Amino acid sequence: MSKIYNFSAGPAMLHSSVLEAVSKASKDYNDHGQSLMEMSHRSKPVVEMVAETESLTRQLLNISDNYHVLFLQGGASLQFSMIPMNLLDTNMIADYADTGAWSAKAIKEAQLYGKVNIVCSSKESIYNHIPKQLTQDENARYLHITSNNTIFGTQWHDFPKPFNTNAYLIADMSSDIFSRRIDVSKFGLIYAGAQKNIGPAGVTLLIIRDDILDKIDRKIPTMMNYRTHIEKNSMFNTPPVMAIYAVNRSLVWLKNIGGVDFIENKNKLKADKLYKEIERNSLFVSPIAKEDRSIMNVPFIFSNESEEEDFLSFCNDRGLRTLKGHRSVGGFRASIYNAMPEAGVDALIQAMKDYESR
Ligand SMILES: *Cc1c(COP(=O)(O)O)cnc(C)c1O
């Protein structure tokens, strides 16, 4: 059996050092003689580990002190609700860009709490590009984007600016956080479910600028209130300690190989190779506008009617797993997050070549 490469969009592959550390910690955490799962989140080793994870996040993304870094539960999906619940009064307007299924879900939740202005939508063309023309509302409180559209394989390469100088940018970065350099100071809030690029499901990273927490004229349940988690350093209730530890190890790995600068170059190189092969190979095409292609999720389809299952099983036999496209798009999708080594992309390219010349 050849080496397994998991191209899943999420939960996605993690570096082997992360899996080893987590498996060791599940039996005996750092020689404390106890599993990390059994240890109190108030105990010194656990408090220190969570603090270190925050500090690694700050270092790697160069986050300044006027931002809080939180580890929450409920996935990125709960943030679709928590954001408008905390930041958008019933009579306020927020701008949302509709660039994919996750954007649409965020819009749906925001509409429950305030007024939503959809600044652009690429839905009519099955979200195959990022619209360049945005119709922002001059009174919008914030502008919400999905920085990388996991399902459709598009990515904002240049971030839009909110129209109003008092407004701020919010980004769902679930599928590209830590994959490329970002200037956090350009954002009011960034959130990301861990299970795409930095860990397992169960923990969501939130980076929030202190001054955006105005008074909102609404009762917010304690668990849904950002202030609760800020005041208690993400320890209001029992945090998902194992998941946070996996994030911790992923960030240590990332730091050791050279941080975000290094991984961005690597990710671009991997994506570039794969797109080149899709263009060269007579069997495949990319359905995505060239300038908006994601460096994380690479969808491709057959150029002619062919048996998709046949190519999938051809790949599967070579240990190339989970390449089926999302059910709403069809075809194939290779998710090549930080932990996917260049060798995995090379193996996929070789499979595409061999399949062509059969
Ligand atoms: C996967 C994903 C989500 C949903 O994340 P959950 O943690 O499952 O709620 C939201 N947004 C984007 C961009 C995603 O890729």
Side-chain angles (χ1 to χ4, degrees), residues 12-265:
M13 72 180 279
L14 293 167
H15 189 255
S16 56
S17 65
V18 177
L19 302 179
E20 273 156 33
V22 169
S23 97
K24 182 168 179 310
S26 75
K27 291 195 184 123
D28 182 2
Y29 179 63
N30 282 358
D31 301 320
H32 290 288
Q34 253 180 295
S35 164
L36 183 56
M37 284 181 269
E38 306 168 326
M39 289 173 75
S40 166
H41 53 294
R42 312 282 176 207
S43 68
K44 193 162 175 269
V46 176
V47 170
E48 279 175 2
M49 185 278 287
V50 176
E52 186 195 43
T53 315
E54 175 184 338
S55 148
L56 285 161
T57 305
R58 288 185 180 279
Q59 281 170 44
L60 285 162
L61 295 177
N62 200 11
I63 303 173
S64 59
D65 290 344
N66 57 330
Y67 286 81
H68 304 284
V69 172
L70 302 176
F71 301 103
L72 304 179
Q73 298 186 65
S77 297
L78 185 58
Q79 293 312 308
F80 298 162
S81 312
M82 274 176 79
I83 288 165
M85 209 185 269
N86 281 268
L87 304 172
L88 194 66
D89 250 332
T90 317
N91 56 0
M92 286 179 181
I93 298 176
D95 281 340
Y96 276 75
D98 177 26
T99 58
W102 296 116
S103 304
K105 286 187 173 162
I107 290 168
K108 181 167 173 254
E109 297 306 304
Q111 284 166 337
L112 299 174
Y113 294 96
K115 300 196 179 83
V116 172
N117 171 48
I118 297 175
V119 296
C120 67
S121 176
S122 45
K123 188 176 181 180
E124 301 262 287
S125 52
I126 325 178
Y127 295 119
N128 68 354
H129 68 287
I130 302 278
K132 305 296 173 288
Q133 228 45 39
L134 308 188
T135 332
Q136 300 192 45
D137 190 295
E138 59 180 332
N139 295 313
R141 192 86 192 83
Y142 60 79
L143 167 61
H144 178 283
I145 62 165
T146 313
S147 59
N148 183 71
N149 296 283
T150 324
I151 295 175
F152 301 92
T154 62
Q155 192 170 26
W156 292 82
H157 294 298
D158 297 306
F159 295 116
K161 268 205 192 74
F163 177 82
N164 190 320
T165 43
N166 298 322
Y168 49 88
L169 187 59
I170 295 186
D172 175 357
M173 292 199 183
S174 293
S175 52
D176 67 352
I177 189 108
F178 292 106
S179 72
R180 54 170 167 165
R181 271 161 290 200
I182 48 162
D183 180 353
V184 173
S185 73
K186 298 264 189 298
F187 297 84
L189 190 156
I190 293 170
Y191 63 105
Q195 71 274 21
K196 309 285 163 59
N197 214 18
I198 49 169
V203 63
T204 306
L205 172 66
L206 191 92
I207 303 165
I208 181 170
R209 204 174 69 209
D210 190 60
D211 65 291
I212 70 172
L213 287 157
D214 285 346
K215 205 169 154 16
I216 287 287
D217 202 18
R218 163 183 302 128
K219 291 198 174 80
I220 306 174
T222 310
M223 263 301 278
M224 304 292 172
N225 197 324
Y226 287 140
R227 290 181 198 278
T228 304
H229 300 285
I230 290 168
E231 279 160 24
K232 300 290 182 188
N233 273 323
S234 306
M235 295 264 189
F236 169 69
N237 69 328
T238 321
V241 170
M242 281 303 279
I244 296 173
Y245 183 58
V247 172
N248 179 299
R249 292 296 99 185
S250 285
L251 298 185
V252 167
W253 167 74
L254 179 57
K255 187 180 164 182
N256 289 343
I257 60 170
V260 175
D261 287 5
F262 173 86
I263 208 76
E264 175 173 359
N265 292 338

Side-chain angles (χ1 to χ4, degrees), residues 279-332:
E279 275 166 18
R280 187 211 59 78
N281 196 308
S282 59
L283 299 180
F284 304 104
V285 286
S286 161
I288 299 305
K290 199 164 181 173
E291 71 276 13
D292 300 322
R293 286 174 180 172
S294 166
I295 61 167
M296 296 275 94
N297 311 97
V298 182
F300 52 102
I301 53 177
F302 275 131
S303 45
N304 291 305
E305 193 83 11
S306 301
E307 199 42 66
E308 288 177 358
E309 286 305 327
D310 189 60
F311 179 63
L312 289 171
S313 79
F314 182 82
C315 289
N316 205 54
D317 290 347
R318 297 173 168 221
L320 309 174
R321 300 256 174 97
T322 346
L323 281 161
K324 197 175 169 64
H326 189 271
R327 59 190 181 280
S328 59
V329 190
F332 314 104

Side-chain angles (χ1 to χ4, degrees), residues 267-281:
N267 287 334
K268 281 183 173 160
L269 183 91
K270 283 169 1 194
D272 204 45
K273 273 185 176 184
L274 186 50
Y275 284 117
K276 280 214 174 82
E277 175 58 19
I278 293 167
E279 275 166 18
R280 187 211 59 78
N281 196 308

